[in-house]
Amino acid sequence: MKDYKKRVPAEYYEAINGGGRIEEVTYDSVVYCQDKAPVKKRALVYLPAGYDENTDNYRVLYLMHGGGGNEEEFLYGQDKSRKLIHILDHMIASGELKPLIVVTPSFYYSDLQSALHDIKEAGVLTKHYHNEFKNDLMPVIDSRYRTVADRDHRAFGGFSMGGETTWEMFLNCLDLVKNYIPLSGDCWIVEEKGGATFPEKTSALMKEYLKEKGFDGLSYNVFAFTGDEDIAYPALSAQIKAMLADGWNNGSDKVLKFESWKEGTHCYEYIYEYIYNIVAEIF
Ligand code: FER
């Protein structure tokens, strides 16, 4: 059995010659959680080595940052060391990972700065993010880039509040995206950190929600990872325990995997390790 505890090789943190490149996309959206005022949004796009030379269509992994972050944080890193870009370049160069496109948007609006420092306000934005994904971001990505535009070839993941975003995406976009990577963040469908306070209710409400949407028969892969010393561990582990008891891990069609790394804390250094272990497996 796979244990998903492989460490990123040290050299994967360093740049390679002839790796992928980063583009930026801007797109029109609206403030879905408020007055629907028009806004411009921005996302970064990682295009793998070889994108320009061949005519393949590519899978797309969307990754959402955590509270207080922005659309540059995942790929460039909080210290701008570009670690995730280098890891992806190495994995693709070595053949461990089939080339893919990675898109990093943001749930924040540049005009609503207060949410940057208020976790409750951030929770409102993450709850509504799926609207922007479906209406505004995904169509731009699929029209501008050579993507395999179907649910099997899309994945959405995120760290912390980006993990919350990922659970909301799962509930609202399961018809569009099959694969999910919620990292160190629980689902706030019941309340803030409801995975800890109401794990069974969270699982039951999620089931009901998918049923109401007509999504309850759809297949999925959900890889939820965190660390034993992560501040999100109590909430995510309790939620997953309730979900497993509720039959969310139903064979090959409906996959829910949970891993907790020993000594893992709430920071990107671990998130890169989790992604390294998950990305070649999930789709
Ligand atoms: C969680 C624990 C912490 C979680 C989010 C956080 C979405 C966010 C903390 C922060 O941004 O300060 O379980 O789930």
Side-chain angles (χ1 to χ4, degrees):
M1 217 171 109
K2 254 194 103 66
D3 70 354
Y4 301 101
K5 300 277 168 43
K6 239 179 8 173
R7 299 302 301 253
V8 177
E11 67 271 21
Y12 282 23
Y13 289 106
E14 308 297 329
I16 63 170
N17 288 324
R21 64 186 163 87
I22 303 296
E23 286 197 349
E24 124 177 20
V25 289
T26 52
Y27 55 98
D28 294 312
S29 186
V30 302
V31 181
Y32 286 101
C33 59
Q34 286 184 3
D35 51 2
K36 308 268 168 67
V39 282
K40 286 264 182 238
K41 296 293 298 269
R42 176 171 178 265
L44 297 189
V45 179
Y46 167 86
L47 298 172
Y51 182 84
D52 300 300
E53 291 81 47
N54 64 41
T55 56
D56 290 356
N57 290 327
Y58 293 82
R59 301 164 303 151
V60 185
L61 167 64
Y62 294 87
L63 290 173
M64 184 63 80
H65 62 78
N70 59 52
E71 66 272 22
E72 297 195 352
E73 193 169 280
F74 238 120
L75 283 167
Y76 290 158
Q78 287 170 327
D79 59 359
K80 308 279 180 216
S81 59
R82 299 184 164 228
K83 285 193 180 114
L84 185 58
I85 297 172
H86 298 154
I87 293 167
L88 292 166
D89 284 343
H90 277 279
M91 290 181 79
I92 290 167
S94 72
E96 281 169 76
L97 179 65
K98 259 176 47 191
L100 84 173
I101 294 171
V102 179
V103 179
T104 57
S106 177
F107 54 75
Y108 287 119
Y109 299 107
S110 52
D111 299 358
L112 295 173
Q113 291 289 318
S114 61
L116 274 171
H117 309 288
D118 183 322
I119 203 80
K120 268 208 168 11
E121 280 187 47
V124 174
L125 300 181
T126 59
K127 190 177 273 306
H128 287 82
Y129 188 76
H130 63 89
N131 297 292
E132 177 175 319
F133 175 85
K134 177 165 56 183
N135 298 330
D136 311 319
L137 176 60
M138 193 191 79
V140 164
I141 297 300
D142 283 333
S143 70
R144 196 161 311 172
Y145 297 99
R146 296 195 312 277
T147 64
V148 185
D150 65 29
R151 69 187 294 275
D152 286 8
H153 297 90
R154 293 188 188 111
F156 194 104
F159 166 42
S160 190
M161 292 309 290
E164 207 296 299
T165 314
T166 304
W167 290 112
E168 303 288 346
M169 282 289 304
F170 174 67
L171 294 173
N172 289 283
C173 295
L174 194 52
D175 57 336
L176 301 173
V177 180
K178 179 180 170 184
N179 311 291
Y180 296 89
I181 310 175
L183 302 173
S184 298
D186 63 316
C187 177
W188 291 9
I189 187 173
V190 176
E191 63 172 24
E192 186 181 330
K193 298 186 188 164
T197 47
F198 295 101
E200 290 83 15
K201 190 171 170 190
T202 298
S203 174
L205 263 188
M206 288 174 76
K207 269 213 164 140
E208 226 170 89
Y209 199 95
L210 288 186
K211 200 166 187 161
E212 266 170 37
K213 291 226 148 211
F215 292 169
D216 50 331
L218 293 173
S219 59
Y220 52 76
N221 292 312
V222 180
F223 284 35
F225 280 36
T226 189
D228 294 1
E229 291 176 19
D230 194 301
I231 53 167
Y233 176 85
L236 187 58
S237 61
Q239 178 194 323
I240 299 291
K241 193 169 164 215
M243 291 179 77
L244 292 173
D246 247 352
W248 286 86
N249 190 15
N250 174 25
S252 60
D253 191 30
K254 297 183 177 173
V255 173
L256 171 63
K257 282 188 204 293
F258 176 70
E259 286 284 340
S260 184
W261 271 46
K262 201 166 168 282
E263 294 171 8
T265 56
H266 202 69
C267 66
Y268 275 101
E269 300 308 312
Y270 284 94
I271 297 304
Y272 302 142
E273 302 273 5
Y274 306 155
I275 290 173
Y276 173 65
N277 277 272
I278 294 168
V279 71
E281 289 289 319
I282 195 166
F283 76 153

